[in-house]
Amino acid sequence: MKSHYRVVVIGGGVVGASVLYHLAKMGWKDVCLIERSVLTAGSSWHAAGGIHALNADPNIAALQAYTIDLLPEIEKESGQNIGLHMTGGLTMAGTPDRWEWLQSAYRVFQSIGIEDCRLVTPEEAGELNPIMSTKGMLGGMWADREGYVDTTGTVHAYAGAAKKHGATVVEHNQVLELHQTADGWQVVTEKGTVTCEHVVNAGGLWAKQLGRMAGVELPVSPLKHHYLVSDTIPALEKLDFEVPMTVDLEGFTYMRQDQKGLLLGIYEVDHEHWAMDGAPWNYGMELFQEDTDRIEKELTLGFERYPDLQNVGVKTWVNGAFTFSPDGNPLVGPVPGKRGYWTACAVMAGFLQGGGVGKSLAEWMIYGEPEADVYGMDVARYGDFAQNKRYIRETTGQFYSRRFVMTYPNEQLPAGRPLKMAPAHDAMTVAGCKWGTSWDLEVPLYFAPQGFEERPSLKRSNAFDIVAEECRVIRNGVGLLDITGFSRFEVSGENAKGWLDEIMASKLPGPRRAKLAPMLSEGGKLKGDLTVLNWGDGTWWIMGSYYLRAWHMRWFNDHMQDGVTVRDLGEEICGFGLVGPKSQQVIEKLAEQDISHLKFMGCGEFDIGMIRTKVARMSVTGEKGYEINCRYGDHIALRRMLLEAGAGEGIRECGFNAMLSTRLEKSFGIWSTEFTQGYTPGMTGMDRWIDWDKDFVGKSAAVAERDGNGPAQIQVTLEIDATDADASGYEPVWAGDEKVGFVTSGGFGHSTGKSLAMALVNRDQAGEGAELTVHVVGTERTATVIAPSPYDPQGKAMRA
């Protein structure tokens, strides 16, 4: 071990070894992995080692596909046998909704390029896995590239391949302390102190302690997980092939062959946390005593699904710990506020996701950004609120218990809620508000009659008519929308304008004006669809998506300059939006100054009643609207005044579901659907806001796209012939038998009476009138490319 490395990776499990391998292979040779014990001494050694394609997040599924492709390569590079058994895999459904969901998921896989899967009948599934009972099954999905690996062999293959590329592996050397320096980090170990530019926390079960060494409280917790390995099963001895990996979603179990027996793993509803402050340092190769009473229900279902288990004994019980994040996805990337400190932890499916995690993190460190959109596993998707121990316990437990429980798109899960609430939350609840959540905040979805409960559904829910009425009010009268769920950053200082001009790709607005502003990465991909407001007094606001607060602040800080201060106003400022043709009549009753002169995209300070506010005339609904921003302490009074002033105009409170419907009718994209860090301005139409005459971050790449052949796919609006369900995202778009794109988001346009979607499609199929098809909840529907903004295409309403 040298005294200095460019990167020190802490943790010798599959994730740490993968990060080391990818860094070295991509050219950073001066890298070292430090492991307190031996490689695999954590969760890796006792993991079941399953690899499969299915993931609810298509971006994560794509990274899993990369890992599956990579495994044979590292075996070849290292010369280490990884015990790869590519048996194929089945995912089975036993309820109508689950079968419908699986059919829809199959189409999503087609969208993201995973072609080696197909739907199967229960009879076909029984032939593929003859020891499985198909009783109660409605169908399944088969994937060719599923199976399992030898976990110890795989970790050593990653590490061995890394060493062949020049990396160093040091075992039996516990990290004791971490200290940030001006140039990077000091890593104090049992064998001496090492300095480095970058530290990677791949600590697995010890990620919590390694975070605390750096002053970081990571939202991770270990939970116990059971699987068993049976004695030899005679029926398996008679087969001349290995039975496939099989997931029984209704039975909470996964299964694979283990020699001539079965390995049966269980995700029980009655979960159990362990060592929430991190595993003991001397823990590593131990297991817990099996707790069959706690898993009795799921165990019984597993023995019914695989009846041969009832006639043989259990050879081995494994009850070990794995580390989970609140949503079950990894925590990867640079930690906000800790330059040079990176995470690669909470990868509970390490052998499936480890390759993709290692690739993405290495690209991030070396090139400044990963190739893929990895927001779903970005450590900055959580804020300080997620450091709370009870929040971590509730959310990680909820994820574990629901690992195989179906979650509907319109279902609101309870863990970690309610946490942050706007001041008028209770009054809005009394008024019938039904709440969703964005980051830590409760946000209004819609307002319903007393006693109404929305039923979870893959199709249009029983709240459909309620949202339709709110849309009608927005289009014809005036709606009141709580806009606490927008992010707000204040930018000030002598260099504020110059910094904004460089970080934003658009022209900046003049005094008392607002402007849409794309923000790009150095590679020319989107980093934000933001709004910049110039208050005319030397201060500026950046407004965007509330749940991106930590993510955007990290970006701002990474590009900070002297003479600039950026402050997150998310704990200070909230407000309400007035939207609809009668919104001006309402606000004029309360404004102490003349607000009638405030034109579209204008902004300024106004006294609304006795409340000093900052008002911007804009709305994502496409109607005339005002966003009224106030202090948290004024929120309750502002709502009360607006409702009283609007009573004669028929004012009605509305939620985000209506806002999303109306924005689709305007072909307005939103972040995480139409706009992501995986897309470029040319793909999404954001290039129309770019000021090509100035210098800005990402300009060279954006110019190359503009002056080259252009993007292969561009954003369009689709009208879909749907009846009881609407597209939601990632459904494939077809021209005959050719896949030509995919849906980015969809829903019902209540004002136009049309099922609408926005989609990225091949340029030659993007012309208005192109006849296409789209799979909606697994069923193929005709779709037509229509002109953008099917509602008020000239924008007269919002500019009135």
Side-chain angles (χ1 to χ4, degrees):
M1 185 175 72
K2 300 188 303 182
S3 60
H4 179 82
Y5 293 92
R6 191 170 197 172
V7 182
V8 170
V9 179
I10 306 173
V14 64
V15 176
S18 173
V19 171
L20 188 77
Y21 164 74
H22 282 90
L23 285 169
K25 187 173 184 179
M26 291 181 191
W28 280 17
K29 310 294 186 182
D30 189 19
V31 293
C32 176
L33 183 151
I34 298 177
E35 162 58 40
R36 62 178 184 90
S37 179
V38 297
L39 295 178
T40 78
S43 297
S44 290
W45 75 271
H46 63 72
I51 52 175
H52 57 88
L54 190 63
N55 190 286
D57 184 329
N59 292 303
I60 302 299
L63 288 173
Q64 291 176 178
Y66 165 81
T67 304
I68 294 170
D69 289 338
L70 176 66
L71 288 169
E73 293 183 28
I74 62 161
E75 182 175 60
K76 184 177 179 180
E77 281 190 52
S78 65
Q80 167 73 50
N81 185 351
I82 66 170
L84 177 61
H85 293 247
M86 200 62 82
T87 62
L90 285 167
T91 302
M92 302 302 298
T95 66
D97 275 4
R98 179 79 80 172
W99 176 226
E100 208 165 42
W101 172 82
L102 206 55
Q103 293 173 77
S104 181
Y106 164 63
R107 297 301 178 181
V108 169
F109 276 14
Q110 290 183 314
S111 283
I112 62 177
I114 299 177
E115 305 287 354
D116 53 355
C117 56
R118 67 181 190 274
L119 296 172
V120 296
T121 65
E123 292 74 23
E124 290 174 293
E127 293 173 2
L128 291 163
N129 187 351
I131 66 164
M132 175 181 67
S133 167
T134 59
K135 181 180 179 181
M137 291 298 186
L138 299 180
M141 184 168 65
W142 168 268
D144 292 341
R145 294 186 311 149
E146 296 199 3
Y148 63 95
V149 295
D150 168 48
T151 57
T152 298
T154 300
V155 175
H156 281 276
Y158 274 118
K163 287 190 283 187
K164 287 188 175 182
H165 285 291
T168 300
V169 175
V170 178
E171 296 179 286
H172 301 290
N173 187 24
Q174 183 179 327
V175 172
L176 304 174
E177 299 174 20
L178 293 173
H179 301 289
Q180 192 167 14
T181 67
D183 301 319
W185 292 84
Q186 278 187 344
V187 183
V188 181
T189 77
E190 291 176 323
K191 296 181 179 179
T193 298
V194 179
T195 60
C196 59
E197 298 171 38
H198 305 275
V199 168
V200 178
N201 178 351
L205 295 172
W206 296 268
K208 179 73 81 173
Q209 296 100 306
L210 291 174
R212 287 174 175 170
M213 287 181 189
V216 177
E217 191 71 25
L218 294 170
V220 297
S221 177
L223 284 97
K224 295 180 179 179
H225 178 66
H226 284 86
Y227 68 80
L228 64 85
V229 179
S230 77
D231 287 330
T232 296
I233 293 176
L236 285 177
E237 290 185 299
K238 297 176 183 178
L239 296 177
D240 59 358
F241 63 92
E242 273 194 285
V243 296
M245 286 275 298
T246 303
V247 175
D248 176 10
L249 296 169
E250 266 63 60
F252 307 93
T253 62
Y254 60 89
M255 181 281 296
R256 70 166 173 83
Q257 189 166 331
D258 188 280
Q259 298 181 42
K260 293 301 180 180
L262 287 187
L263 182 153
L264 184 73
I266 295 168
Y267 278 97
E268 66 277 12
V269 174
D270 184 15
H271 61 264
E272 183 178 348
H273 286 86
W274 174 74
M276 286 194 66
D277 291 315
W281 288 111
N282 60 358
Y283 177 84
M285 293 293 195
E286 298 86 355
L287 293 171
F288 309 110
Q289 182 68 37
E290 65 270 19
D291 186 357
T292 53
D293 289 343
R294 184 163 58 84
I295 63 173
E296 180 181 6
K297 177 183 175 182
E298 295 82 4
L299 195 61
T300 300
L301 291 172
F303 275 60
E304 291 173 350
R305 184 61 61 202
Y306 308 103
D308 286 298
L309 287 174
Q310 301 173 27
N311 303 316
V312 298
V314 174
K315 180 168 62 177
T316 305
W317 276 102
V318 173
N319 183 13
F322 292 89
T323 305
F324 293 79
S325 72
D327 63 5
N329 280 337
L331 297 175
V332 179
V335 173
K338 295 290 178 180
R339 187 175 295 276
Y341 186 88
W342 305 74
T343 57
C345 53
V347 190
M348 62 96 180
F351 291 90
L352 175 60
Q353 298 174 346
V357 167
K359 172 183 182 287
S360 298
L361 188 63
E363 290 169 342
W364 211 334
M365 298 175 74
I366 296 171
Y367 307 121
E369 61 180 332
E371 179 185 24
D373 176 12
V374 296
Y375 180 78
M377 61 183 187
D378 193 328
V379 66
R381 72 186 185 275
Y382 292 107
D384 291 345
F385 66 91
Q387 298 178 6
N388 179 274
K389 193 169 185 177
R390 181 169 177 177
Y391 177 89
I392 296 169
R393 182 189 303 114
E394 285 190 13
T395 53
T396 55
Q398 176 178 265
F399 171 81
Y400 185 97
S401 293
R402 296 185 64 89
R403 182 79 170 90
F404 288 165
V405 174
M406 184 168 169
T407 299
Y408 294 83
N410 65 325
E411 191 172 6
Q412 301 299 317
L413 302 180
R417 299 177 56 201
L419 187 54
K420 182 180 177 182
M421 294 168 279
H425 174 276
D426 287 356
M428 294 167 69
T429 301
V430 171
C433 187
K434 298 296 182 180
W435 298 95
T437 184
S438 174
W439 218 40
D440 62 342
L441 177 70
E442 296 293 304
V443 294
L445 299 179
Y446 54 85
F447 287 74
Q450 186 73 28
F452 176 84
E453 292 297 332
E454 185 173 6
R455 292 189 295 272
S457 175
L458 290 169
K459 300 181 178 179
R460 294 173 188 164
S461 83
N462 57 322
F464 184 82
D465 291 339
I466 293 172
V467 176
E469 176 60 20
E470 292 185 6
C471 291
R472 187 195 65 77
V473 169
I474 289 172
R475 293 290 189 229
N476 300 302
V478 57
L480 183 67
L481 175 69
D482 174 25
I483 58 170
T484 304
F486 296 167
S487 69
R488 301 163 178 86
F489 299 92
E490 180 187 77
V491 184
S492 59
E494 60 186 17
N495 191 32
K497 182 178 180 180
W499 178 77
L500 282 168
D501 209 27
E502 183 175 331
I503 201 170
M504 300 296 174
S506 66
K507 288 183 179 180
L508 295 184
R512 295 171 63 86
R513 297 292 296 168
K515 199 172 191 66
L516 296 179
M519 187 167 66
L520 308 184
S521 71
E522 284 82 355
K525 294 182 178 179
L526 296 176
K527 292 299 289 189
D529 63 320
L530 302 162
T531 303
V532 175
L533 300 93
N534 180 353
W535 296 111
D537 60 359
T539 61
W540 307 69
W541 275 15
I542 301 170
M543 294 186 68
S545 301
Y546 182 88
Y547 62 92
L548 298 177
R549 282 172 56 191
W551 191 73
H552 272 145
M553 183 58 89
R554 181 181 66 190
W555 182 258
F556 298 150
N557 286 332
D558 286 348
H559 293 78
M560 192 50 61
Q561 299 173 359
D562 292 337
V564 182
T565 300
V566 179
R567 194 160 62 92
D568 183 349
L569 302 177
E571 307 305 318
E572 303 173 32
I573 303 295
C574 54
F576 284 96
L578 281 175
V579 289
K582 296 182 180 180
S583 56
Q584 184 173 336
Q585 290 94 305
V586 176
I587 201 168
E588 281 184 337
K589 292 179 183 179
L590 295 169
E592 292 296 320
Q593 298 86 5
D594 179 12
I595 204 169
S596 63
H597 73 279
L598 193 65
K599 304 301 182 184
F600 178 60
M601 299 303 283
C603 63
E605 288 193 88
F606 292 88
D607 294 327
I608 303 299
M610 291 188 293
I611 301 173
R612 192 68 172 163
T613 70
K614 289 182 180 289
V615 178
R617 195 183 141 185
M618 54 190 182
S619 168
V620 76
T621 64
E623 289 294 337
K624 190 172 190 175
Y626 299 84
E627 293 183 357
I628 308 168
N629 301 279
C630 66
R631 300 176 304 169
Y632 260 69
D634 295 328
H635 192 248
I636 295 172
L638 179 61
R639 172 182 176 271
R640 186 179 300 151
M641 285 191 298
L642 291 170
L643 287 174
E644 291 173 354
E649 311 297 339
I651 194 171
R652 172 170 174 163
E653 291 190 273
C654 303
F656 277 29
N657 286 6
M659 184 186 76
L660 292 173
S661 171
T662 52
R663 70 93 186 171
L664 271 175
E665 294 180 315
K666 291 295 297 174
S667 301
F668 289 163
I670 57 174
W671 194 263
S672 82
T673 58
E674 284 69 50
F675 310 133
T676 80
Q677 60 182 334
Y679 304 156
T680 64
M683 295 170 66
T684 57
M686 290 295 280
D687 54 344
R688 67 185 181 274
W689 303 111
I690 289 179
D691 178 5
W692 298 104
D693 295 328
K694 71 170 189 175
D695 290 326
F696 54 86
V697 174
K699 181 176 181 178
S700 60
V703 168
E705 179 186 55
R706 181 196 68 182
D707 296 345
N709 296 325
Q713 294 184 321
I714 58 174
Q715 194 76 235
V716 300
T717 302
L718 300 175
E719 180 181 341
I720 301 176
D721 182 21
T723 53
D724 61 348
D726 302 293
S728 57
Y730 287 106
E731 293 93 344
V733 178
W734 305 89
D737 294 331
E738 180 188 3
K739 180 164 63 70
V740 297
F742 63 95
V743 170
T744 53
S745 69
F748 192 78
H750 290 282
S751 307
T752 58
K754 297 177 179 180
S755 182
L756 300 170
M758 298 181 72
L760 280 170
V761 302
N762 296 349
R763 296 179 69 91
D764 61 353
Q765 296 290 340
E768 187 178 341
E771 293 293 333
L772 307 169
T773 60
V774 174
H775 280 89
V776 179
V777 194
T779 301
E780 192 169 22
R781 302 285 186 180
T782 59
T784 305
V785 177
I786 62 174
S789 191
Y791 174 82
D792 186 25
Q794 301 302 316
K796 294 180 180 179
M798 62 186 180
R799 292 178 172 86

